[in-house]
Amino acid sequence: MSELVPGGNLPLPGGPVTVRVPGPFDVSALITDDDGKVGGDDDFVFYNQPAAPGARLHGDTLIVDPPRLRAGATRLTVLVSPADPATSLGRLPAPTLHVTNASGRPLGRFVPPRPRQETVLLLAEIYRRGDGWKLRALGQGYADGLAGLARDFGVDVADDPPAPTTRPAPSPSFPATRPPRTARRISSAPDPDGFLGLVNSARAAAGSPPVALDTRLATAAHAHASVMASAGRLGVEGADGVSLHQRVAATGYAYVTVGEHLVSGPRTPAEFVAYCLRTEQPRRTLHDPAFTHAGLAYITDGRSGDTFWTALWAKPLTPAELARTQADVVELTNRERARAGLPRLAVDPPLAAAAQAYSTDMAARAFYSHTSPEGTQPWDRAAAAGSTLRSIGENIACGQRSPAEVVEGWMNSPGHRANILKPTFTRIGVGFAGGGPAGTYWTQLFGA
């Protein structure tokens, strides 16, 4: 059985799986397409609507048969909220997710970081990957309940009018010991605040291509805005010790480049966009032609009345984008060697594999050092990847947002510059990963 951490993945077997969250919680699920949007009312599985194609809820247990989800569905997100709406998740035991296969064999378990003021938690998602399905642990919380969560999934959620004083007879669809609660309605609302239209109009005026809203970015933005509003201050790292980039990584959005706006003050999306366009650096981010996706969230602090905004801009890290990023670092490195009259470095597959694995590890485990938490050194990692080279050198960096920026930084540092311009080195491997507290993690391995 796998013990999952936020962002951790679990391959699922064919056939149904059971997801159970015992305790004083309500379990529900949202079914979405590739664009992260629900298709309508039937895509919300909860206590008043316990079944949909491929998913059925029985109390604290959700049975999911991924291939039988409705046509076009590629993701099912598991949500938990307190059974008592007046209670915050922080006052309850941690909601523990148990996953079993059709015969009851345990597959995995996930205990998220303990929630605080949140009233809804995105606990995990079941998503299609190629011809199979996986489960990813999330642990993203919402302080303003289902309404805020629905906005991030591009839906409107509205309570029905209060029920009559006389309690109706229990419906056969629900346990007789628990009367049905107030129903909620869901309908599509791809851009309820008009944010996307404002942004793409400004980008078009600057000659930049349009961006599309991405639910995962909106999820991370909402979680970060909630934490900032609770603390009453802006920051890339929240009072909970989690960075904005870690929140993005936890949603499963792997990026090759990312930007953000963290703002307090504007009252509407129009005021927010106008604010960003008034100042050079925020304007440059909003106009950046490299970005293809965006996500927005804003939360008003009930004590101060201030509204805290988080906007995320990103481009996904596809295999082609990763290869291009690695090749650009190699090319820029070889240009520096050419200026110094040195021969070019050739890409070495074992060094490339070791460098990529180390960047990914630093981002996933939030550390930054030439020595791994287990004590391995660059030459140990190169040898483990199959390298037989005798001389090994390593450059690492974090926080830089492009190959040009990271190579320039290395060249401005005497020790890193010495590695790049070492005459005896003949091979190179490059790694890149997004996430962690710094946002980006870069590795160069050299060998001879």
Side-chain angles (χ1 to χ4, degrees), residues 245 258 368 397-402 405-406 432-433 435 437-442:
H245 307 105
V258 68
Y368 178 68
C398 64
Q400 296 81 5
R401 301 199 178 195
S402 70
E405 186 178 340
V406 73
F432 167 83
T440 58
Y441 292 79
W442 306 80

Side-chain angles (χ1 to χ4, degrees), residues 31-361:
I31 300 166
T32 54
D33 299 328
D34 280 332
D35 62 1
K37 303 295 188 297
V38 299
D41 291 6
D42 292 343
D43 282 348
F44 189 22
V45 178
F46 69 126
Y47 40 76
N48 272 356
Q49 185 171 270
R56 184 165 186 85
L57 180 64
H58 300 273
D60 63 5
T61 301
L62 185 68
I63 300 173
V64 183
D65 192 351
R68 294 184 180 276
L69 294 175
R70 64 157 174 83
T74 58
R75 193 176 305 265
L76 180 145
T77 304
V78 180
L79 323 171
V80 292
S81 55
D84 177 4
T87 303
S88 68
L89 286 170
R91 296 172 59 190
L92 300 175
T96 301
L97 180 88
H98 300 268
V99 186
T100 58
N101 66 6
S103 62
R105 182 174 67 84
L107 299 176
R109 190 175 80 114
F110 173 51
V111 183
R114 188 172 182 82
R116 296 185 180 180
Q117 77 283 0
E118 293 90 342
T119 56
V120 178
L121 191 69
L122 272 69
L123 199 53
E125 62 181 4
I126 293 172
Y127 65 100
R128 186 164 61 201
R129 178 55 56 90
D131 294 331
W133 292 80
K134 289 186 174 183
L135 180 142
R136 178 186 289 117
L138 297 176
Q140 290 284 344
Y142 290 78
D144 58 348
L146 190 59
L149 181 148
R151 179 170 58 247
D152 291 349
F153 277 83
V155 301
D156 286 328
V157 178
D159 287 336
D160 282 342
T165 303
T166 303
R167 178 176 295 176
S171 162
S173 300
F174 303 91
T177 57
R178 182 180 181 185
R181 302 183 184 182
T182 302
R184 289 175 168 87
R185 301 186 303 274
I186 292 186
S187 61
S188 298
D191 185 20
D193 299 312
F195 170 71
L196 190 63
L198 293 165
V199 164
N200 283 334
S201 177
R203 287 175 65 87
S208 298
V211 293
L213 292 179
D214 186 275
T215 299
R216 294 163 296 179
L217 295 179
T219 296
H222 191 286
H224 201 72
S226 295
V227 171
M228 291 194 301
S230 296
R233 60 180 174 85
L234 301 173
V236 175
E237 182 176 295
D240 58 357
V242 180
S243 77
L244 179 60
H245 307 105
Q246 287 172 299
R247 298 188 207 282
V248 174
T251 69
Y253 189 106
Y255 55 82
V256 67
T257 185
V258 68
E260 71 281 335
H261 288 118
L262 305 178
V263 177
S264 66
R267 294 163 297 175
T268 66
E271 289 185 8
F272 171 79
V273 172
Y275 168 86
C276 294
L277 292 173
R278 281 199 299 268
T279 310
E280 181 181 357
Q281 184 55 53
R283 181 172 60 248
R284 188 181 306 154
T285 298
L286 192 149
H287 286 162
D288 193 330
F291 297 135
T292 59
H293 293 118
L296 176 76
Y298 52 96
I299 302 291
T300 299
D301 179 6
R303 297 162 298 180
S304 67
D306 292 336
T307 300
F308 289 80
W309 299 75
T310 300
L312 282 164
W313 315 85
K315 183 175 186 178
L317 182 67
T318 63
E321 287 294 341
L322 177 59
R324 186 179 299 112
T325 299
Q326 294 167 324
D328 286 348
V329 173
V330 172
E331 179 58 30
L332 291 167
T333 299
N334 279 328
R335 288 183 190 176
E336 297 296 342
R337 288 178 64 88
R339 290 191 184 101
L342 297 170
R344 293 174 62 86
L345 301 172
V347 174
D348 182 83
L351 292 185
Q356 182 57 42
Y358 199 56
S359 285
T360 301
D361 193 29

